[in-house]
Amino acid sequence: MATRWRTSFRPLLLLLAVLLARHSCVHAAGKANATQPAPDDPVAKAEKEQGDLVPEGACKGEIAAYCSDLPVGNRSLERCLSTQVKMVMAGKVRAEPDFSAECLSEIRYFKIALYKDISMNQEMVEACKEDIASFCDDDFLYPEPGNVLACLRESKESGRVSDACAAMVFEAQEDAADDFRMDPQLNMLCSKDADTYCGDVQPGEGRVQECLRRNRKKLNWECQAELFRQEVENADDIRLNVRLFRACLEDKRRFCPDVLPGDARVKDCLEEHRADHEFSKTCKVEFDKMMERRAVDFRLDASLRKYCHKDIVETCYPDAEDISDVANWDSKVMECLQDYKEELKDPRCRQQVHRLTKRAAEDIRFDHPLHDACQPDQEKLCKDVPSGHARVFTCLQDHRKDLRPVCRAALFDQEIRYAGDIDFKFGMRQACTDEMKRLCAQASDMVKCLQNHVADADMGKACADEVKRDEQRSAQDFRLNFRLNHACFEDVQHLCMNACAPPGTEGAMAAAVAAAGQPCGGAVLKCLSEKVSQLQNAECREEVFYFERRTVEDPALDVPLQQACKDDADMYCGAGAGYASRDHSRTLSCLRQNRKKLSQKCKAEELRFSAMEASDIRLTPTLMNACGLELHQFCRGVPPMGGHAFRCLQWHIQESGMSVACRAEVDLQTMRQSQYYRTDIALQLQCDADVAEKCAEVDAESDTSLGEEVEGDYGPILHCLLQSYQTLKPGCQSEVTYVVRNALWMYHSNAGLTKPCHADIDALCNSTHVPQGSEHKGPVMGSFGQCLVDTPLTKISDKQCRQLVGVVAGSGGHVGGVVNENQLEDTLTKIAEIQLVAQAEAEEQQEGSTLVLTGWMAFIAITALAALLLGGGFFVYRRYFDPRRNYTVVVKAGDV
């Protein structure tokens, strides 16, 4: 219904525009028309009748000098003089004599009359006769001759007119671009405003149009519309921008000699070369003005208008019949195309949008929405920052906290659009030119490749700094991480929509806050990391893991950790240095060494960070660096996630191939796991249900009361699980047993979990399990744990230690509140009696375990022994004493 209404009323709207134009014309009077020849002027009458300048007029001397051999009529004299003027203006010839002002004025007014009444222009009438009959022969819509030319311009734009007619129409457009009065409609609607605001501007070279655009807000709306109409029609050919064409003529010859005008080809060619050193400053100034103006409305970009016509209507304005229905000066169309660039159907449209976005990222002047929103902020905060090279954009980023809300939101929106493509990151592209060629020549994702090489020795400092700066900025909000944003969109909506919202705002309010153009401070990234097991999209899981891997390599990318621990880092790890300005891995180590002193919020974030590291062995750089060879030797094929690879290292900790560094790192991680439940992934996976059921109150407090966990105490959740040991589910009970057994096996004098056993170990195990004169400051592998397990429980004096040993022995000795103290003591006594009986039987079996061989069995055994001795002797002789044996010494490098 709405569509039919718009179609049926369009002729009436056009008629109304014509009537308004007539009304404006009646009241328009000013300097521009004051000097025009009167209708009864003899010269004007003669020119109209002949369709040419008259030899006796103001151009008498010029005609005699340049066009004396030409007949009068059909514009021959006017064309001759106009061509000569153009050649003089272009510097191709020298005028002798010079053209008088009166002659130039007469030529102009002849053309004004020529284009107003097409019947005077016999050449155009002849060339466009069929086109006029086909497209413009409607007295209702085109009652005046000047409107026929307007019709021909529209038909030329749509490619419907013949080549001969198109050439004549272009000539009219070229003249109108030079002097607005040669465009009948523009002259009729803008002459009054031209007299008012541009009366002192000399007509020609498009100067009056430029003056009118500077005063756009003061013009009447009919003049604004016509001025914009001419600007749109002239956008596809550089020759119709008089000032630009003349300023860039030499650059066109130098850089684009074979490029034909039309379809914005010359403009596109010059745009590609505008950063070249040989590109003239005069041309660059005018070209930048054109690009700045082009950013105001998509119709001023002929290529965008041509290639994106369908995508604009279908994607950005589905209710519009045509792009002519879109409001003028609508820079939102470009934002729409940028937001939906992956969905654009025409590849040429995608290419043009990419090119324009690249230009906008380099210079804020070519990003109209951002420039408009931030102009006051730019004048205040970046006044002395020159345009270009993304300098103003970077300045606004650096002053983000000082920006007005409207500017801050616009800046954030553009950062989202620029994320993910190095073409839109001018600073990185400039700083990393060499690295992109050497390190990432074949990379499909240049930004990701540079991030992966940021720590390489051969990466330049400028490039590394720019990559880090960009990555730290993207860590502020998941929407600034292009790959993760696209891969995790659905999961964010499902799992983390409220993560970005202030407390108490859920649902639609949270969605509004998340989309308000403000960064979330890493809250959504933190949520995705914590809920990685619930993510549905496999690509999202990969991107979250990549972000986690980059975070453990550079903890500054964890924004919640950085914000929570800034004051603590300043206090304990270098006063006044600031968290964001140091070696972040070293700062994190410092924070962990001072963990008892940390603020509660810092401690909570550090432990959350540790839990993330523990989720996958690849996220623990210190462990990977210390145990790389051991993982390859002992744990090949073991999944790195879920704690499996770390368990494998624990199982092989006593192997002879385990290095001292790896053993120490495994021991350190084991101690941390015993202190904090969330860092033991295997325990967490098996015990989450039991924790929710039996330790919910402790679990709820563990994130906010971590200050109670001090060195020497094991975590509150593990303590709760030990208290409820016998009622735990089998999988959880098995994991708790493993944790306790491992703590006893890798005994530490300062470990919290085995602290109750220190006195018993000193009394029962120190003299028999530790070499004379040694101290057990570090871990004692196996000895003390085995000593306690082998010792009858009745000899262990500490009750808590007996409970731990009972857990390891599989007795269910530590029951917590399920059984009373008497039942527990009876159980421990029975276990001790069983151990004593088993020990006595073992000793008796050892005493009577002699093997006796007789008969043929004895003969076979002796023969085998002799053969073994002879074979061994022969091997030793050949290996070390035979001089005839040639051999090669092979030395294996340390990295084999």
Side-chain angles (χ1 to χ4, degrees), residues 383-422:
K383 184 178 181 180
D384 299 326
V385 178
S387 300
H389 291 208
R391 286 183 286 252
V392 175
F393 189 82
T394 303
C395 174
L396 293 175
Q397 286 181 313
D398 294 340
H399 291 87
R400 185 182 307 277
K401 294 181 180 180
D402 303 320
L403 301 178
R404 295 173 304 122
V406 63
C407 176
R408 192 184 307 125
L411 178 66
F412 180 71
D413 288 342
Q414 287 305 84
E415 286 176 314
I416 294 175
R417 296 185 181 101
Y418 296 163
D421 196 321
I422 198 167

Side-chain angles (χ1 to χ4, degrees), residues 270-287:
L270 290 173
E271 189 171 341
E272 292 301 318
H273 292 280
R274 59 185 282 273
D276 292 2
H277 294 298
E278 297 179 0
F279 202 83
S280 70
K281 183 178 180 180
T282 305
C283 179
K284 190 176 188 306
V285 169
E286 289 298 326
F287 209 91

Side-chain angles (χ1 to χ4, degrees), residues 620-683:
T620 313
T622 54
L623 196 61
M624 289 294 294
N625 292 336
C627 300
L629 293 177
E630 288 79 0
L631 285 169
H632 182 75
Q633 180 178 356
F634 300 120
C635 308
R636 188 185 306 177
V638 178
M641 67 289 293
H644 299 295
F646 183 70
R647 282 285 173 89
C648 174
L649 291 175
Q650 288 179 323
W651 294 337
H652 292 85
I653 197 167
Q654 282 194 302
E655 297 284 351
S656 59
M658 181 75 70
S659 66
V660 175
C662 180
R663 187 175 290 130
E665 192 62 34
V666 171
D667 175 61
L668 178 63
Q669 297 298 329
T670 302
M671 287 186 63
R672 285 190 60 79
Q673 287 185 356
S674 69
Q675 292 173 347
Y676 185 50
Y677 164 77
R678 296 294 173 188
T679 62
D680 191 328
I681 303 303
L683 179 67

Side-chain angles (χ1 to χ4, degrees), residues 364-378:
I364 193 175
R365 294 176 300 170
F366 310 146
D367 187 336
H368 182 71
L370 182 61
H371 185 245
D372 188 53
C374 293
Q375 190 167 9
D377 304 86
Q378 180 182 349

